[in-house]
Amino acid sequence: MSVYRIALAGNPNTGKSTLFNLLTGLRQHTGNWPGKTVIRAEGEFTHNDTEYTTVDLPGTYSLYSNSVDEEVARDYIIFDKPDVTLVVLDATSLERNLNLALQVMEMTDHVVVCLNLMDEAQKKGIKIDSEMLSKKLGTPVVKVSARNKTGIKELLDIVDEMAKGNVPTNPYRMTYSDDIEAKIEELAPKVRQMIGDEFPIRWISLRLLDGDERILNSLNTYFQKKKKRKGGYNNVSIKATI
Ligand SMILES: Nc1nc2c(ncn2[C@@H]2O[C@H](COP(=O)(O)OP(=O)(O)OP(=O)(O)O)[C@@H](O)[C@H]2O)c(=O)[nH]1
Ligand SMILES: [Mg+2]
């Protein structure tokens, strides 16, 4: 039986761990991320007769390289390639929270947006047209309350469908200013030539243009590990040349 992997990403305090605990119950284990002092919580659950493992990523406001937490979350999405990244948003501060959702959507097509704290939003009289939001974002959007345990079945049904490749998505991609877009166009083929197609080339090009050297470290570590595993054919050493 296949085991699919689900990552929970989102800003701090959006209810990721509450949802994680609800899904995995006692079937969870914690440790540290390799080489980092950041706690890694992983757990299992079953839905529609399918086994899932889920990872509770550290809460972050962005996925650049500003902190170890951001690096851990970012590297998991890029290098471990979960079958679905569930972006958990606080429905009471949607505008601020959508920023992270858009960043994740630049990194992977397999995104489900979970609007959590819907109970709180309702109390505050906040109304959200999730269908419209879903159309605009190009990803499924599901309203839940992890505290009141509402919307969870709908959420897991769509996660299940996406993990099995049955949900075509077309995540909204930010368009940048003309000069940045021109630079991306110039850089992307070179990045693709160096590292192949298994990574989000546009996103990596953007990070490189932003002078993010830590993504280079992460890529080098990834290729070194891969080389060791495969007995050394892939001799890629990536250096900043921009
Ligand atoms: N009202 C309401 N509160 C919630 C809901 N989900 C989580 N909370 C509360 O929100 C707070 C933060 O929840 P956590 O699950 O710790 O949030 P988190 O995203 O894991 O936070 P970090 O680990 O810091 O990133 C807690 O007090 C939860 O009880 C919800 O659906 N409704
Ligand atoms: Mg947490």
Side-chain angles (χ1 to χ4, degrees):
M1 190 161 59
S2 324
V3 178
Y4 294 101
R5 282 177 305 115
I6 312 299
L8 298 180
N11 288 171
N13 236 19
T14 55
K16 292 178 298 303
S17 299
T18 309
L19 185 60
F20 174 82
N21 289 331
L22 180 64
L23 296 179
T24 58
L26 295 174
R27 296 176 68 191
Q28 51 178 260
H29 23 103
T30 52
N32 277 6
W33 289 88
K36 308 263 168 42
T37 54
V38 180
I39 301 277
R40 173 184 174 125
E42 203 170 320
E44 283 93 44
F45 67 93
T46 308
H47 182 70
N48 290 349
D49 293 327
T50 305
E51 278 286 312
Y52 287 93
T53 65
T54 178
V55 171
D56 189 11
L57 296 177
T60 59
Y61 291 105
S62 72
L63 291 166
Y64 305 133
S65 298
N66 300 322
S67 67
V68 182
D69 282 4
E70 289 189 13
E71 252 174 63
V72 161
R74 178 199 74 187
D75 283 359
Y76 190 80
I77 297 170
I78 296 289
F79 298 109
D80 287 85
K81 300 193 189 79
D83 295 292
V84 177
T85 300
L86 194 54
V87 184
V88 183
L89 307 187
D90 176 349
T92 69
S93 1
L94 202 49
E95 197 175 333
R96 186 187 51 172
N97 276 240
L98 274 172
N99 191 321
L100 190 94
L102 290 173
Q103 288 184 42
V104 174
M105 286 158 54
E106 284 188 316
M107 297 159 77
T108 167
D109 288 343
H110 305 131
V111 181
V112 171
V113 171
C114 166
L115 297 178
N116 190 31
L117 288 105
M118 277 311 299
D119 58 307
E120 207 56 41
Q122 263 149 17
K123 265 191 224 153
K124 291 186 173 168
I126 298 169
K127 292 201 173 69
I128 300 172
D129 184 344
S130 54
E131 261 177 49
M132 175 69 84
L133 190 60
S134 169
K135 271 200 195 115
K136 294 219 163 185
L137 294 178
T139 64
V141 174
V142 186
K143 295 176 176 178
V144 312
S145 164
R147 178 177 281 178
N148 295 350
K149 305 180 184 163
T150 58
I152 307 300
K153 184 185 176 312
E154 292 81 349
L155 179 69
L156 294 184
D157 281 348
I158 196 77
V159 164
D160 188 45
E161 287 291 314
M162 185 175 283
K164 291 172 181 167
N166 299 332
V167 183
T169 59
N170 183 20
Y172 178 85
R173 296 271 144 87
M174 301 279 289
T175 308
Y176 296 89
S177 60
D178 289 351
D179 53 338
I180 293 178
E181 288 294 336
K183 287 251 189 312
I184 296 172
E185 208 170 302
E186 193 186 327
L187 188 58
K190 294 178 188 162
V191 174
R192 181 172 287 115
Q193 209 177 10
M194 270 199 299
I195 64 174
D197 254 332
E198 58 177 311
F199 303 106
I201 298 294
R202 179 182 163 84
W203 180 84
I204 288 178
S205 305
L206 266 165
R207 299 311 315 132
L208 294 177
L209 287 170
D210 200 26
D212 182 346
E213 295 214 358
R214 306 211 42 114
I215 188 70
L216 292 175
N217 295 342
S218 296
L219 281 164
N220 272 325
T221 308
Y222 174 85
F223 281 117
Q224 271 155 20
K225 273 192 203 149
K226 193 168 163 178
K227 189 171 142 188
K228 264 191 208 150
R229 274 200 309 270
K230 291 210 168 166
Y233 88 94
N234 200 345
N235 198 13
V236 182
S237 176
I238 299 151
K239 295 194 181 76
T241 52
I242 47 169

Short mmCIF file of all heavy atoms in Angstrom, two decimals, residues 103-168:
data_model
loop_
_atom_site.label_atom_id
_atom_site.label_comp_id
_atom_site.label_asym_id
_atom_site.label_seq_id
_atom_site.Cartn_x
_atom_site.Cartn_y
_atom_site.Cartn_z
N GLN A 103 3.93 31.98 -1.68
CA GLN A 103 5.32 31.51 -1.74
C GLN A 103 5.38 29.99 -1.95
O GLN A 103 6.17 29.51 -2.75
CB GLN A 103 6.07 31.88 -0.47
CG GLN A 103 6.35 33.36 -0.38
CD GLN A 103 7.15 33.69 0.86
OE1 GLN A 103 8.08 32.99 1.21
NE2 GLN A 103 6.78 34.77 1.52
N VAL A 104 4.52 29.27 -1.23
CA VAL A 104 4.52 27.81 -1.39
C VAL A 104 4.10 27.46 -2.82
O VAL A 104 4.65 26.56 -3.44
CB VAL A 104 3.58 27.13 -0.36
CG1 VAL A 104 3.47 25.63 -0.64
CG2 VAL A 104 4.08 27.35 1.06
N MET A 105 3.13 28.23 -3.34
CA MET A 105 2.64 27.94 -4.68
C MET A 105 3.67 28.22 -5.77
O MET A 105 3.54 27.76 -6.89
CB MET A 105 1.35 28.75 -4.93
CG MET A 105 0.18 28.14 -4.17
SD MET A 105 -1.16 29.29 -3.86
CE MET A 105 -1.47 29.88 -5.48
N GLU A 106 4.70 28.99 -5.42
CA GLU A 106 5.80 29.18 -6.38
C GLU A 106 6.74 27.96 -6.37
O GLU A 106 7.53 27.78 -7.27
CB GLU A 106 6.63 30.42 -6.02
CG GLU A 106 5.95 31.72 -6.39
CD GLU A 106 6.86 32.93 -6.22
OE1 GLU A 106 7.56 33.00 -5.18
OE2 GLU A 106 6.89 33.78 -7.12
N MET A 107 6.64 27.18 -5.28
CA MET A 107 7.59 26.07 -5.11
C MET A 107 7.03 24.72 -5.54
O MET A 107 7.78 23.81 -5.85
CB MET A 107 8.00 25.99 -3.63
CG MET A 107 8.72 27.24 -3.16
SD MET A 107 8.66 27.43 -1.38
CE MET A 107 9.87 26.27 -0.87
N THR A 108 5.73 24.58 -5.50
CA THR A 108 5.12 23.28 -5.85
C THR A 108 3.71 23.48 -6.40
O THR A 108 3.01 24.44 -6.03
CB THR A 108 5.07 22.34 -4.61
OG1 THR A 108 4.21 21.25 -4.90
CG2 THR A 108 4.55 23.04 -3.37
N ASP A 109 3.30 22.54 -7.26
CA ASP A 109 1.93 22.56 -7.79
C ASP A 109 0.95 21.85 -6.85
O ASP A 109 -0.25 21.98 -7.00
CB ASP A 109 1.87 21.79 -9.13
CG ASP A 109 2.56 22.55 -10.24
OD1 ASP A 109 2.80 23.76 -10.08
OD2 ASP A 109 2.87 21.92 -11.27
N HIS A 110 1.49 21.05 -5.94
CA HIS A 110 0.62 20.19 -5.13
C HIS A 110 0.27 20.85 -3.81
O HIS A 110 0.81 20.49 -2.76
CB HIS A 110 1.29 18.83 -4.91
CG HIS A 110 1.68 18.17 -6.19
ND1 HIS A 110 2.90 17.63 -6.42
CD2 HIS A 110 0.97 18.01 -7.34
CE1 HIS A 110 2.95 17.15 -7.66
NE2 HIS A 110 1.78 17.37 -8.23
N VAL A 111 -0.60 21.84 -3.90
CA VAL A 111 -0.94 22.64 -2.73
C VAL A 111 -2.44 22.59 -2.46
O VAL A 111 -3.24 22.73 -3.38
CB VAL A 111 -0.56 24.13 -2.95
CG1 VAL A 111 -0.88 24.96 -1.72
CG2 VAL A 111 0.91 24.26 -3.31
N VAL A 112 -2.80 22.37 -1.20
CA VAL A 112 -4.19 22.56 -0.78
C VAL A 112 -4.18 23.66 0.28
O VAL A 112 -3.36 23.64 1.19
CB VAL A 112 -4.78 21.26 -0.17
CG1 VAL A 112 -6.13 21.51 0.46
CG2 VAL A 112 -4.90 20.17 -1.25
N VAL A 113 -5.06 24.63 0.11
CA VAL A 113 -5.14 25.72 1.08
C VAL A 113 -6.23 25.40 2.09
O VAL A 113 -7.38 25.11 1.73
CB VAL A 113 -5.44 27.06 0.37
CG1 VAL A 113 -5.74 28.16 1.37
CG2 VAL A 113 -4.25 27.46 -0.50
N CYS A 114 -5.84 25.43 3.36
CA CYS A 114 -6.77 25.11 4.44
C CYS A 114 -7.03 26.39 5.23
O CYS A 114 -6.12 26.96 5.83
CB CYS A 114 -6.09 24.04 5.30
SG CYS A 114 -6.84 23.78 6.89
N LEU A 115 -8.27 26.86 5.18
CA LEU A 115 -8.62 28.06 5.94
C LEU A 115 -9.04 27.62 7.33
O LEU A 115 -10.17 27.16 7.54
CB LEU A 115 -9.79 28.80 5.28
CG LEU A 115 -9.56 29.35 3.88
CD1 LEU A 115 -10.84 29.99 3.37
CD2 LEU A 115 -8.43 30.37 3.89
N ASN A 116 -8.11 27.75 8.27
CA ASN A 116 -8.40 27.29 9.63
C ASN A 116 -8.95 28.45 10.48
O ASN A 116 -8.98 29.58 10.04
CB ASN A 116 -7.13 26.70 10.26
CG ASN A 116 -7.42 26.00 11.56
OD1 ASN A 116 -8.51 25.44 11.75
ND2 ASN A 116 -6.49 26.03 12.49
N LEU A 117 -9.37 28.13 11.68
CA LEU A 117 -9.98 29.09 12.62
C LEU A 117 -11.27 29.69 12.05
O LEU A 117 -11.61 30.84 12.30
CB LEU A 117 -9.01 30.21 13.00
CG LEU A 117 -7.86 29.81 13.94
CD1 LEU A 117 -6.56 29.69 13.18
CD2 LEU A 117 -7.70 30.80 15.08
N MET A 118 -11.99 28.88 11.26
CA MET A 118 -13.24 29.38 10.68
C MET A 118 -14.26 29.72 11.77
O MET A 118 -15.07 30.62 11.60
CB MET A 118 -13.84 28.34 9.72
CG MET A 118 -13.27 28.38 8.31
SD MET A 118 -13.19 30.01 7.56
CE MET A 118 -14.90 30.49 7.52
N ASP A 119 -14.19 29.01 12.90
CA ASP A 119 -15.10 29.33 14.02
C ASP A 119 -14.88 30.76 14.50
O ASP A 119 -15.82 31.53 14.71
CB ASP A 119 -14.91 28.32 15.17
CG ASP A 119 -13.49 28.27 15.69
OD1 ASP A 119 -12.54 28.09 14.89
OD2 ASP A 119 -13.29 28.41 16.89
N GLU A 120 -13.61 31.13 14.59
CA GLU A 120 -13.23 32.47 15.04
C GLU A 120 -13.64 33.52 13.98
O GLU A 120 -14.15 34.58 14.32
CB GLU A 120 -11.70 32.48 15.21
CG GLU A 120 -11.13 33.44 16.20
CD GLU A 120 -11.66 33.31 17.61
OE1 GLU A 120 -11.83 32.17 18.10
OE2 GLU A 120 -11.92 34.38 18.20
N ALA A 121 -13.42 33.17 12.73
CA ALA A 121 -13.79 34.09 11.64
C ALA A 121 -15.29 34.34 11.65
O ALA A 121 -15.75 35.48 11.51
CB ALA A 121 -13.36 33.50 10.30
N GLN A 122 -16.06 33.26 11.86
CA GLN A 122 -17.52 33.41 11.89
C GLN A 122 -17.93 34.32 13.03
O GLN A 122 -18.78 35.19 12.87
CB GLN A 122 -18.19 32.04 12.01
CG GLN A 122 -18.63 31.50 10.65
CD GLN A 122 -18.59 29.98 10.58
OE1 GLN A 122 -18.54 29.32 11.61
NE2 GLN A 122 -18.58 29.45 9.37
N LYS A 123 -17.31 34.11 14.19
CA LYS A 123 -17.63 34.97 15.36
C LYS A 123 -17.39 36.43 15.05
O LYS A 123 -18.08 37.32 15.51
CB LYS A 123 -16.74 34.56 16.54
CG LYS A 123 -17.42 33.58 17.49
CD LYS A 123 -16.60 33.45 18.76
CE LYS A 123 -16.49 31.99 19.14
NZ LYS A 123 -15.32 31.65 19.91
N LYS A 124 -16.35 36.68 14.26
CA LYS A 124 -15.99 38.06 13.93
C LYS A 124 -16.77 38.59 12.73
O LYS A 124 -16.51 39.70 12.26
CB LYS A 124 -14.49 38.16 13.64
CG LYS A 124 -13.63 37.94 14.86
CD LYS A 124 -12.18 38.19 14.55
CE LYS A 124 -11.36 38.13 15.84
NZ LYS A 124 -9.93 38.10 15.61
N GLY A 125 -17.67 37.75 12.19
CA GLY A 125 -18.48 38.19 11.04
C GLY A 125 -17.70 38.25 9.74
O GLY A 125 -18.10 38.92 8.79
N ILE A 126 -16.57 37.53 9.69
CA ILE A 126 -15.78 37.51 8.45
C ILE A 126 -16.34 36.45 7.52
O ILE A 126 -16.49 35.29 7.91
CB ILE A 126 -14.29 37.19 8.77
CG1 ILE A 126 -13.70 38.27 9.67
CG2 ILE A 126 -13.47 37.01 7.49
CD1 ILE A 126 -12.33 37.93 10.24
N LYS A 127 -16.67 36.88 6.31
CA LYS A 127 -17.20 35.92 5.33
C LYS A 127 -16.16 35.71 4.24
O LYS A 127 -15.60 36.68 3.73
CB LYS A 127 -18.49 36.46 4.71
CG LYS A 127 -19.64 36.54 5.68
CD LYS A 127 -20.98 36.56 4.94
CE LYS A 127 -22.13 36.46 5.91
NZ LYS A 127 -22.28 37.68 6.75
N ILE A 128 -15.93 34.47 3.90
CA ILE A 128 -14.93 34.18 2.87
C ILE A 128 -15.56 33.34 1.77
O ILE A 128 -16.17 32.30 2.05
CB ILE A 128 -13.71 33.44 3.46
CG1 ILE A 128 -13.06 34.31 4.55
CG2 ILE A 128 -12.69 33.11 2.37
CD1 ILE A 128 -11.97 33.61 5.33
N ASP A 129 -15.43 33.83 0.55
CA ASP A 129 -15.94 33.09 -0.60
C ASP A 129 -14.84 32.11 -1.04
O ASP A 129 -13.96 32.47 -1.83
CB ASP A 129 -16.29 34.09 -1.72
CG ASP A 129 -16.92 33.41 -2.92
OD1 ASP A 129 -16.81 32.17 -3.03
OD2 ASP A 129 -17.51 34.12 -3.75
N SER A 130 -14.88 30.91 -0.49
CA SER A 130 -13.76 29.99 -0.72
C SER A 130 -13.71 29.50 -2.17
O SER A 130 -12.65 29.20 -2.69
CB SER A 130 -13.80 28.80 0.24
OG SER A 130 -15.03 28.16 0.17
N GLU A 131 -14.90 29.47 -2.82
CA GLU A 131 -14.88 29.05 -4.23
C GLU A 131 -14.15 30.06 -5.10
O GLU A 131 -13.35 29.71 -5.97
CB GLU A 131 -16.31 28.91 -4.75
CG GLU A 131 -16.76 27.46 -4.74
CD GLU A 131 -18.19 27.31 -5.18
OE1 GLU A 131 -18.55 27.88 -6.23
OE2 GLU A 131 -18.94 26.64 -4.46
N MET A 132 -14.46 31.33 -4.83
CA MET A 132 -13.81 32.41 -5.58
C MET A 132 -12.30 32.40 -5.31
O MET A 132 -11.48 32.53 -6.22
CB MET A 132 -14.43 33.75 -5.17
CG MET A 132 -13.76 34.96 -5.76
SD MET A 132 -14.05 35.05 -7.53
CE MET A 132 -15.64 35.85 -7.56
N LEU A 133 -11.96 32.23 -4.04
CA LEU A 133 -10.55 32.20 -3.65
C LEU A 133 -9.83 31.05 -4.36
O LEU A 133 -8.72 31.20 -4.88
CB LEU A 133 -10.43 32.06 -2.13
CG LEU A 133 -9.05 32.24 -1.52
CD1 LEU A 133 -8.48 33.61 -1.82
CD2 LEU A 133 -9.11 32.02 0.00
N SER A 134 -10.51 29.91 -4.39
CA SER A 134 -9.94 28.73 -5.03
C SER A 134 -9.71 28.99 -6.52
O SER A 134 -8.67 28.61 -7.07
CB SER A 134 -10.89 27.55 -4.82
OG SER A 134 -10.52 26.48 -5.61
N LYS A 135 -10.68 29.66 -7.16
CA LYS A 135 -10.52 29.98 -8.59
C LYS A 135 -9.33 30.90 -8.80
O LYS A 135 -8.52 30.72 -9.70
CB LYS A 135 -11.78 30.67 -9.10
CG LYS A 135 -12.81 29.69 -9.60
CD LYS A 135 -13.81 30.37 -10.53
CE LYS A 135 -15.01 29.46 -10.70
NZ LYS A 135 -16.24 30.00 -10.18
N LYS A 136 -9.23 31.91 -7.92
CA LYS A 136 -8.15 32.89 -8.10
C LYS A 136 -6.79 32.26 -7.82
O LYS A 136 -5.81 32.57 -8.48
CB LYS A 136 -8.36 34.07 -7.15
CG LYS A 136 -9.59 34.87 -7.50
CD LYS A 136 -9.38 36.34 -7.33
CE LYS A 136 -10.48 37.04 -8.09
NZ LYS A 136 -10.44 38.43 -8.19
N LEU A 137 -6.73 31.41 -6.82
CA LEU A 137 -5.43 30.82 -6.45
C LEU A 137 -5.06 29.65 -7.36
O LEU A 137 -3.89 29.30 -7.48
CB LEU A 137 -5.44 30.33 -5.00
CG LEU A 137 -5.57 31.40 -3.91
CD1 LEU A 137 -5.61 30.74 -2.54
CD2 LEU A 137 -4.42 32.39 -3.97
N GLY A 138 -6.07 29.03 -7.95
CA GLY A 138 -5.80 27.86 -8.80
C GLY A 138 -5.49 26.61 -7.99
O GLY A 138 -4.87 25.67 -8.49
N THR A 139 -5.93 26.59 -6.73
CA THR A 139 -5.74 25.40 -5.88
C THR A 139 -7.03 25.18 -5.08
O THR A 139 -7.81 26.11 -4.91
CB THR A 139 -4.63 25.62 -4.82
OG1 THR A 139 -5.05 26.68 -3.94
CG2 THR A 139 -3.30 26.00 -5.42
N PRO A 140 -7.24 23.97 -4.59
CA PRO A 140 -8.41 23.77 -3.72
C PRO A 140 -8.28 24.60 -2.43
O PRO A 140 -7.17 24.80 -1.94
CB PRO A 140 -8.35 22.28 -3.38
CG PRO A 140 -7.45 21.67 -4.39
CD PRO A 140 -6.49 22.73 -4.79
N VAL A 141 -9.42 25.08 -1.94
CA VAL A 141 -9.46 25.83 -0.68
C VAL A 141 -10.55 25.20 0.18
O VAL A 141 -11.69 25.05 -0.28
CB VAL A 141 -9.79 27.32 -0.92
CG1 VAL A 141 -9.97 28.07 0.39
CG2 VAL A 141 -8.71 28.00 -1.78
N VAL A 142 -10.21 24.82 1.40
CA VAL A 142 -11.20 24.17 2.27
C VAL A 142 -11.26 24.89 3.61
O VAL A 142 -10.23 25.22 4.20
CB VAL A 142 -10.82 22.68 2.51
CG1 VAL A 142 -11.91 21.97 3.29
CG2 VAL A 142 -10.55 21.96 1.21
N LYS A 143 -12.49 25.15 4.07
CA LYS A 143 -12.68 25.82 5.35
C LYS A 143 -12.72 24.79 6.48
O LYS A 143 -13.50 23.83 6.39
CB LYS A 143 -14.00 26.59 5.36
CG LYS A 143 -14.07 27.74 4.38
CD LYS A 143 -15.46 28.35 4.43
CE LYS A 143 -15.57 29.57 3.55
NZ LYS A 143 -16.92 30.15 3.54
N VAL A 144 -11.94 24.99 7.51
CA VAL A 144 -11.99 24.06 8.64
C VAL A 144 -11.90 24.81 9.98
O VAL A 144 -11.56 25.99 10.02
CB VAL A 144 -10.84 23.00 8.62
CG1 VAL A 144 -10.69 22.35 7.26
CG2 VAL A 144 -9.52 23.59 9.04
N SER A 145 -12.24 24.09 11.02
CA SER A 145 -11.88 24.53 12.36
C SER A 145 -11.23 23.33 13.03
O SER A 145 -11.91 22.35 13.33
CB SER A 145 -13.12 24.98 13.15
OG SER A 145 -12.77 25.04 14.53
N ALA A 146 -9.92 23.42 13.20
CA ALA A 146 -9.19 22.30 13.83
C ALA A 146 -9.65 22.14 15.27
O ALA A 146 -9.70 21.04 15.81
CB ALA A 146 -7.69 22.54 13.76
N ARG A 147 -10.03 23.26 15.90
CA ARG A 147 -10.48 23.19 17.29
C ARG A 147 -11.82 22.49 17.40
O ARG A 147 -12.02 21.60 18.21
CB ARG A 147 -10.56 24.60 17.90
CG ARG A 147 -11.06 24.57 19.33
CD ARG A 147 -11.08 25.93 19.95
NE ARG A 147 -9.75 26.33 20.39
CZ ARG A 147 -9.48 27.50 20.94
NH1 ARG A 147 -10.44 28.41 21.08
NH2 ARG A 147 -8.26 27.79 21.34
N ASN A 148 -12.77 22.87 16.53
CA ASN A 148 -14.11 22.27 16.58
C ASN A 148 -14.24 21.02 15.71
O ASN A 148 -15.32 20.45 15.62
CB ASN A 148 -15.17 23.29 16.14
CG ASN A 148 -15.25 24.45 17.10
OD1 ASN A 148 -14.66 24.41 18.18
ND2 ASN A 148 -15.97 25.50 16.73
N LYS A 149 -13.17 20.68 15.05
CA LYS A 149 -13.13 19.47 14.20
C LYS A 149 -14.15 19.53 13.08
O LYS A 149 -14.79 18.53 12.74
CB LYS A 149 -13.34 18.21 15.04
CG LYS A 149 -12.36 18.09 16.19
CD LYS A 149 -12.59 16.86 17.00
CE LYS A 149 -11.64 16.88 18.19
NZ LYS A 149 -11.95 16.00 19.26
N THR A 150 -14.34 20.67 12.49
CA THR A 150 -15.27 20.78 11.35
C THR A 150 -14.47 20.91 10.04
O THR A 150 -13.38 21.50 10.04
CB THR A 150 -16.21 22.00 11.46
OG1 THR A 150 -15.41 23.18 11.57
CG2 THR A 150 -17.11 21.91 12.68
N GLY A 151 -15.03 20.37 9.00
CA GLY A 151 -14.41 20.47 7.66
C GLY A 151 -13.26 19.50 7.43
O GLY A 151 -12.65 19.50 6.36
N ILE A 152 -12.98 18.67 8.42
CA ILE A 152 -11.79 17.81 8.32
C ILE A 152 -11.96 16.72 7.25
O ILE A 152 -11.04 16.46 6.49
CB ILE A 152 -11.45 17.18 9.71
CG1 ILE A 152 -11.34 18.27 10.78
CG2 ILE A 152 -10.17 16.34 9.63
CD1 ILE A 152 -10.28 19.33 10.54
N LYS A 153 -13.15 16.15 7.19
CA LYS A 153 -13.36 15.09 6.19
C LYS A 153 -13.21 15.67 4.77
O LYS A 153 -12.53 15.08 3.91
CB LYS A 153 -14.74 14.44 6.36
CG LYS A 153 -14.91 13.29 5.40
CD LYS A 153 -16.28 12.67 5.41
CE LYS A 153 -16.46 11.58 4.37
NZ LYS A 153 -16.02 11.90 3.03
N GLU A 154 -13.82 16.83 4.54
CA GLU A 154 -13.72 17.48 3.22
C GLU A 154 -12.26 17.75 2.89
O GLU A 154 -11.80 17.56 1.76
CB GLU A 154 -14.50 18.81 3.20
CG GLU A 154 -16.00 18.68 3.29
CD GLU A 154 -16.52 18.49 4.74
OE1 GLU A 154 -15.68 18.24 5.65
OE2 GLU A 154 -17.73 18.56 4.94
N LEU A 155 -11.53 18.23 3.91
CA LEU A 155 -10.12 18.54 3.71
C LEU A 155 -9.34 17.29 3.30
O LEU A 155 -8.59 17.29 2.32
CB LEU A 155 -9.53 19.13 5.01
CG LEU A 155 -8.05 19.48 4.97
CD1 LEU A 155 -7.81 20.67 4.05
CD2 LEU A 155 -7.53 19.81 6.37
N LEU A 156 -9.55 16.21 4.05
CA LEU A 156 -8.79 14.98 3.78
C LEU A 156 -9.20 14.35 2.47
O LEU A 156 -8.37 13.75 1.77
CB LEU A 156 -8.94 13.99 4.94
CG LEU A 156 -8.32 14.47 6.26
CD1 LEU A 156 -8.44 13.39 7.32
CD2 LEU A 156 -6.86 14.87 6.08
N ASP A 157 -10.47 14.50 2.09
CA ASP A 157 -10.91 13.96 0.80
C ASP A 157 -10.14 14.62 -0.34
O ASP A 157 -9.67 13.96 -1.27
CB ASP A 157 -12.41 14.18 0.60
CG ASP A 157 -13.24 13.15 1.36
OD1 ASP A 157 -12.66 12.16 1.85
OD2 ASP A 157 -14.47 13.36 1.48
N ILE A 158 -9.98 15.93 -0.26
CA ILE A 158 -9.31 16.63 -1.36
C ILE A 158 -7.80 16.37 -1.32
O ILE A 158 -7.15 16.21 -2.37
CB ILE A 158 -9.66 18.15 -1.38
CG1 ILE A 158 -9.28 18.78 -2.72
CG2 ILE A 158 -9.03 18.94 -0.28
CD1 ILE A 158 -10.21 18.49 -3.82
N VAL A 159 -7.23 16.26 -0.12
CA VAL A 159 -5.81 15.91 0.02
C VAL A 159 -5.57 14.53 -0.61
O VAL A 159 -4.61 14.33 -1.37
CB VAL A 159 -5.39 15.91 1.51
CG1 VAL A 159 -4.06 15.20 1.71
CG2 VAL A 159 -5.30 17.35 2.04
N ASP A 160 -6.48 13.61 -0.30
CA ASP A 160 -6.39 12.25 -0.81
C ASP A 160 -6.42 12.24 -2.34
O ASP A 160 -5.59 11.60 -3.00
CB ASP A 160 -7.60 11.48 -0.25
CG ASP A 160 -7.53 9.99 -0.54
OD1 ASP A 160 -6.45 9.41 -0.34
OD2 ASP A 160 -8.56 9.42 -0.95
N GLU A 161 -7.35 13.00 -2.89
CA GLU A 161 -7.47 13.07 -4.35
C GLU A 161 -6.22 13.67 -4.98
O GLU A 161 -5.74 13.23 -6.02
CB GLU A 161 -8.69 13.92 -4.74
CG GLU A 161 -10.03 13.24 -4.48
CD GLU A 161 -10.24 12.06 -5.42
OE1 GLU A 161 -9.99 12.22 -6.62
OE2 GLU A 161 -10.61 10.98 -4.94
N MET A 162 -5.70 14.71 -4.32
CA MET A 162 -4.51 15.36 -4.89
C MET A 162 -3.30 14.44 -4.80
O MET A 162 -2.52 14.31 -5.75
CB MET A 162 -4.22 16.69 -4.19
CG MET A 162 -3.08 17.40 -4.85
SD MET A 162 -2.75 19.02 -4.20
CE MET A 162 -4.05 19.98 -4.93
N ALA A 163 -3.14 13.77 -3.65
CA ALA A 163 -2.00 12.87 -3.47
C ALA A 163 -2.01 11.79 -4.55
O ALA A 163 -0.97 11.36 -5.03
CB ALA A 163 -2.03 12.24 -2.08
N LYS A 164 -3.21 11.38 -4.95
CA LYS A 164 -3.32 10.30 -5.96
C LYS A 164 -3.28 10.84 -7.38
O LYS A 164 -3.50 10.11 -8.34
CB LYS A 164 -4.61 9.51 -5.70
CG LYS A 164 -4.50 8.72 -4.41
CD LYS A 164 -5.80 8.07 -4.00
CE LYS A 164 -5.59 7.32 -2.68
NZ LYS A 164 -6.85 6.93 -2.05
N GLY A 165 -3.04 12.15 -7.49
CA GLY A 165 -2.87 12.73 -8.82
C GLY A 165 -4.17 13.01 -9.55
O GLY A 165 -4.18 13.19 -10.76
N ASN A 166 -5.29 13.09 -8.79
CA ASN A 166 -6.58 13.30 -9.45
C ASN A 166 -7.06 14.75 -9.44
O ASN A 166 -8.19 15.02 -9.82
CB ASN A 166 -7.65 12.42 -8.78
CG ASN A 166 -7.31 10.97 -8.89
OD1 ASN A 166 -6.63 10.56 -9.83
ND2 ASN A 166 -7.75 10.16 -7.92
N VAL A 167 -6.22 15.65 -8.94
CA VAL A 167 -6.67 17.05 -8.89
C VAL A 167 -5.69 17.91 -9.70
O VAL A 167 -4.60 18.23 -9.23
CB VAL A 167 -6.72 17.58 -7.44
CG1 VAL A 167 -7.26 19.00 -7.40
CG2 VAL A 167 -7.56 16.68 -6.56
N PRO A 168 -6.08 18.26 -10.92
CA PRO A 168 -5.18 19.13 -11.68
C PRO A 168 -5.19 20.53 -11.07
O PRO A 168 -6.28 21.06 -10.78
CB PRO A 168 -5.80 19.15 -13.08
CG PRO A 168 -7.20 18.67 -12.90
CD PRO A 168 -7.33 17.98 -11.59
#
